[in-house]
Amino acid sequence: LFRSPGGASWIRLLSGQIGCIARNTAVLAGQQVFFLSEKGIHIMTPRLDLTLTGEVLPLSNEIDPDIMGINQKYVSGSCAAYFDNRYWLAAPTGDNTRNNKLFVYNLLNSAWETADEFPPGFYIDFLRVMTYGNQRRLYIGNIEGGLFVHEQQTAGDSVFSSAAAPVLPFILPSALVPAGLTTDAVEGIAVTRSYFMNSLEA
């Protein structure tokens, strides 16, 4: 939808090849547009006539098994952001009705970095780029009122502990243990190369 300074507006088709199935996944990164379609994640580049051209294969072709696990019934709630030279896409997978997985594409390396999973019950309802201290950071938010700075800690993710006590009803005397933040370790695997019979030349 375009609007002129005089107030007149009109609709123009930018691309007839592929459609976006979740409006909050359309993100502008420089001159490129990222978005989620029925076939996967696509990237399109504008031409001089303002139309968009894109690849036939989706950008997510390399991680197609993961993308095919997105819950299509609730895919419209997916969201994305462009931050730190990366495209971040949150989507619901499996039986989840809200976004539980975060896919990260690195524009500098032109490769998918990770597909982050979070503790059960933690959902990503929106992504925002805002200032934390004196730096721009990526925030994860949910409708329960949680707002988290993403990748702020090196030891893992901070999550609310459910170990609060006592649980009603209880008998006095009893010690009061408040709910707090605990660190949930992030497991990672790095594959460098294979060795055969302890030989570096193999």
Side-chain angles (χ1 to χ4, degrees), residues 13-33:
L13 178 66
L14 297 181
S15 174
Q17 303 173 3
I18 307 163
C20 179
I21 59 174
R23 64 187 183 92
N24 288 328
T25 64
V27 173
L28 181 64
Q31 293 185 346
Q32 298 172 318
V33 179

Side-chain angles (χ1 to χ4, degrees), residues 55-121:
E55 299 293 335
V56 176
L57 288 176
L59 184 69
S60 58
N61 189 54
E62 295 179 0
I63 58 168
D64 191 62
D66 293 305
I67 296 299
M68 290 300 103
I70 294 178
N71 189 336
Q72 293 298 312
K73 186 176 180 180
Y74 297 95
V75 70
S76 61
S78 301
C79 59
Y82 174 66
F83 173 73
D84 194 24
N85 296 306
R86 290 166 175 84
Y87 176 71
W88 308 74
L89 171 75
T93 60
D95 295 328
N96 288 280
T97 60
R98 293 164 62 190
N99 305 328
N100 67 306
K101 203 163 187 177
L102 188 62
F103 301 92
V104 184
Y105 181 79
N106 190 317
L107 276 73
L108 297 181
N109 298 334
S110 298
W112 290 96
E113 280 189 342
T114 182
D116 293 338
E117 295 187 29
F118 296 86

Side-chain angles (χ1 to χ4, degrees), residues 18 114 150 154 183:
I18 307 163
T114 182
H150 189 53
T154 57
T183 300

